[in-house]
Amino acid sequence: MRELERNRDAEASSALHRLAVIGDGRTGGSVTHAARAAGLDVHVGRRGTSAATASLAEVALLCVPDRSIASACAELAEADPLPAYVGHVSGAAGLDVLAAARRRGAETFTLHPLQTIPTPDTDLAGAPAAVSGSSPAARDVAAALARRLGMVPFDVPEEHRAAYHAAAVLASNFLVTLEESATELLTRAGVADARAVLAPLVLRSAANWAEAGSAALTGPIARGDEDTVRAHLAAVRALAPKLEPTYTALAERTRAIAERGAAPSSQDWTTGGTPVNAPQVIRTREELRRALEPARRSGRRIGLVPTMGFLHEGHASLLRAARAGCDVVVMSLFVNPTQFGPNEDLAAYPRDEAADLAMAAATGVDVVYAPDAAHVYPAGYATSVEVGGELTQVLCGDPRRRGSAHFRGVTTVVAKLLNAVGPDVAFFGQKDAQQAIVIRRMVRDLDFPVEVVVGPTVREPDGLAMSSRNVYLEPDERVRARALNQALSAVADAARAGETDTSRALALGHKILTDAGIDPEYLEARDADDLTLAARFGDRPVLVAVAARVGRARLIDNVVVESPQPGAGAAAEVAR
């Protein structure tokens, strides 16, 4: 059976050389970006040019609003030649809206990415994708296209399309509605920046549900504490009476779920027949090497994402990138003691292995390497790896700050992870820009046979860089912490406007930090390759980096200002 599926997938993939994407909005742009990254020959068209564009491809995908699909398909159906396969990306619409192409002999399909797509360059890697087809061949093309775009296809019967889309709305749109209702109630109760206060709880609850299903249910209803529920209702009635029906309806549904009992764990749930398994958790390097040996022997591409746990969307973006580009994905989960100074937060560093494993499962990780400190640094351990020179003596490596010993701890543990895993690719985040630069130098100098990929910084909606340490922030501190990104943006905007003197641009950033009551450890402009001081913008890419303590949290952030051309009207490109 698996051999038959592989043959069908190979046949479907043979039709995926030239793809026509009709629509250049958020979904169309994201599909185009993913398709080109996958090596497809992509032609982009819009209303008025769709027939001409479609005639250049074997497969056409309509990425237009639901109300426009039928008319867009009618226009596309005039293509000569007509693509063999025509599909759309709507979650709600079925195959019937593609009737015009079907009448002209094309097979039709649907492919709906089951995720929010806020921008035209949204990463689709790892997202589930609902597929259906007018024939088995069309369904296979839809599934093959989803895989080429980095997604995980699953089947939705055509007759249950509306139920599928309703479930997606419940899980996504209505979740936002629910959280906004909670935010309103908490605000009325006198809590400032309620969204920032609730966000960690929401994210952890979602991760717990992803791992354990209804077994993750907690709270007064699950405990049978009806007195507390009555107190809740009285408070809601007094502060936000319009939310009382919502609370009552959800309470009734929660009682039913609590009475039903725990759902099966994520170890065996499936997506349309495609298993989504929890990763294998390994505690020793010997077991890790044995587990990876078959993949290594067969030449499969192994990716490593090193983490210290307490994962957030920044980590998830790296895991999805690894899943899209590698055959086997290994995530390390290890809070490295050697990179913490004597007065730093090793003991208090946030940890939540269960939630981390849930995110690993949701992003398609194959192996989690989670050793303990005694295994990584056994008794008598006396060797370290150090990158010398200015790279580790400035910014966070300055002796007045964390010091170069911090980076010695980083490079030592990364070297040990590279030796233990033997990856083809290792993924790091741009938020820790100096760390990424130091690791690149170590890999180059010591001839590690690994490609280092640095993914972009992932931010909260208000611009704050995602960090495990954000959980330390009190509500008022969370608001003040926004100033870090605002300061960086001010410096970058000055460079974009033609300012070449970094000291004048940095002064703008310092003022923003001062106004927010933040005294930074540093706000500096340095060469983005060798970290020497940069006196001007315009010659080479410049890393503008900031570090500051806000309450208990030590936060870092940065932007890279690419070489602007003052006076020429060209904008500096800012990678965040």
Side-chain angles (χ1 to χ4, degrees):
M1 178 61 72
R2 290 183 178 176
E3 184 64 32
L4 177 60
E5 290 175 353
R6 283 195 292 269
N7 291 339
R8 287 174 55 186
D9 191 60
E11 292 174 4
S13 295
S14 67
L16 294 175
H17 298 298
R18 298 189 303 275
L19 174 68
V21 177
I22 308 304
D24 55 1
R26 291 176 296 180
T27 302
S30 299
V31 167
T32 298
H33 180 77
R36 286 177 173 158
L40 297 181
D41 180 11
V42 184
H43 303 271
V44 180
R46 55 181 62 88
R47 298 299 298 274
T49 66
S50 59
T53 303
S55 68
L56 303 174
E58 297 105 346
V59 178
L61 189 62
L62 292 163
C63 301
V64 299
D66 287 10
R67 64 180 180 276
S68 303
I69 296 174
S71 59
C73 183
E75 179 184 317
L76 182 149
E78 299 301 318
D80 186 18
L82 182 69
Y85 299 94
V86 175
H88 68 67
V89 296
S90 169
L95 294 169
D96 57 315
V97 294
L98 301 174
R102 186 90 170 112
R103 284 194 294 269
R104 284 218 45 215
E107 296 287 354
T108 56
F109 66 89
T110 67
L111 189 164
H112 177 243
L114 187 56
Q115 74 169 56
T116 58
I117 303 181
T119 65
D121 58 354
T122 299
D123 185 5
L124 301 177
V131 299
S132 66
S134 58
S135 67
R139 180 268 170 205
D140 291 346
V141 164
L145 178 57
R147 293 189 189 97
R148 290 291 294 274
L149 299 178
M151 295 185 283
V152 181
F154 66 98
D155 295 303
V156 173
E158 187 70 5
E159 66 271 23
H160 295 311
R161 191 85 187 176
Y164 155 73
H165 199 244
V169 169
L170 279 168
S172 177
N173 305 138
F174 286 1
L175 181 60
V176 174
T177 302
L178 181 62
E179 303 312 336
E180 283 297 297
S181 299
T183 299
E184 178 182 343
L185 180 59
L186 198 58
T187 300
R188 288 175 179 267
V191 176
D193 204 358
R195 181 161 63 90
V197 173
L198 290 169
L201 174 64
V202 173
L203 295 173
R204 289 297 150 189
S205 297
N208 291 342
W209 172 79
E211 180 187 20
S214 63
L217 188 62
T218 63
I221 293 175
R223 296 192 303 267
D225 185 358
E226 292 297 331
D227 288 340
T228 297
V229 174
R230 283 190 288 272
H232 288 179
L233 281 169
V236 171
R237 194 176 301 119
L239 291 176
K242 67 181 180 181
L243 296 180
E244 183 180 356
T246 300
Y247 187 101
T248 299
L250 289 171
E252 292 177 0
R253 179 62 181 150
T254 302
R255 287 188 188 94
I257 293 172
E259 292 170 0
R260 188 180 67 198
S265 75
S266 64
Q267 294 281 344
D268 56 6
W269 68 272
T270 62
T271 304
T274 303
V276 181
N277 296 318
Q280 181 181 6
V281 180
I282 292 176
R283 305 289 180 180
T284 70
R285 75 183 64 84
E286 294 78 14
E287 184 184 0
L288 177 67
R289 288 168 179 161
R290 285 195 300 271
L292 295 177
E293 179 55 31
R296 186 171 291 108
R297 191 166 52 244
S298 63
R300 300 179 74 195
R301 187 173 172 85
I302 299 173
L304 168 65
V305 182
T307 83
M308 293 209 303
F310 212 70
L311 305 183
H312 50 68
E313 179 57 30
H315 299 102
S317 70
L318 297 177
L319 295 170
R320 287 193 291 266
R323 180 72 281 163
C326 301
D327 300 306
V328 178
V329 177
V330 180
M331 182 187 88
S332 65
L333 185 59
F334 178 64
V335 180
N336 178 37
T338 65
Q339 67 191 69
F340 288 79
N343 298 315
E344 294 186 322
D345 58 345
L346 173 60
Y349 190 84
R351 295 164 170 85
D352 191 340
E353 184 173 295
D356 293 339
L357 294 178
M359 180 173 284
T363 50
V365 171
D366 299 297
V367 175
V368 173
Y369 178 43
D372 61 30
H375 183 75
V376 177
Y377 301 110
Y381 186 86
T383 303
S384 61
V385 177
E386 183 169 11
V387 173
E390 191 166 8
L391 288 184
T392 58
Q393 295 174 0
V394 300
L395 301 178
C396 287
D398 189 301
R400 297 167 296 175
R401 296 156 192 160
R402 303 193 78 176
S404 60
H406 163 72
F407 288 106
R408 184 167 60 246
V410 170
T411 47
T412 297
V413 77
V414 171
K416 290 176 71 67
L417 289 171
L418 294 177
N419 282 331
V421 177
D424 299 285
V425 195
F427 295 81
F428 299 87
Q430 175 64 24
K431 182 178 74 71
D432 296 291
Q434 185 177 14
Q435 173 180 285
I437 292 169
V438 169
I439 288 170
R440 281 189 189 277
R441 182 64 60 86
M442 178 193 74
V443 165
R444 187 198 74 178
D445 290 353
L446 297 184
D447 299 320
F448 278 101
V450 62
E451 175 189 356
V452 175
V453 172
V454 179
T457 301
V458 177
R459 299 181 179 279
E460 302 287 357
D462 61 4
L464 180 66
M466 288 191 174
S467 168
S468 300
R469 288 185 170 92
N470 288 352
V471 73
Y472 295 158
L473 296 169
E474 299 294 337
D476 62 318
E477 295 166 349
R478 176 66 174 70
V479 174
R480 290 171 52 224
R482 300 171 183 168
L484 272 70
N485 178 245
Q486 293 167 356
L488 294 172
S489 297
V491 177
D493 288 346
R496 182 168 60 244
E499 177 61 73
T500 59
D501 188 316
T502 59
S503 63
R504 286 198 292 263
L506 290 170
L508 300 174
H510 276 290
K511 183 180 187 307
I512 290 173
L513 294 172
T514 299
D515 290 347
I518 295 175
D519 181 17
E521 290 185 11
Y522 60 78
L523 174 61
E524 299 180 11
R526 292 188 170 269
D527 186 282
D529 180 55
D530 61 18
L531 295 185
T532 55
L533 279 172
R536 53 177 279 116
F537 297 110
D539 300 327
R540 290 166 55 84
V542 173
L543 174 73
V544 183
V546 64
R549 289 195 176 274
V550 182
R552 293 171 52 212
R554 183 182 187 274
L555 305 176
I556 61 173
D557 201 351
N558 66 85
V559 298
V560 175
V561 181
E562 302 291 350
S563 304
Q565 303 296 323
E573 188 69 20
V574 180
R576 300 183 180 175

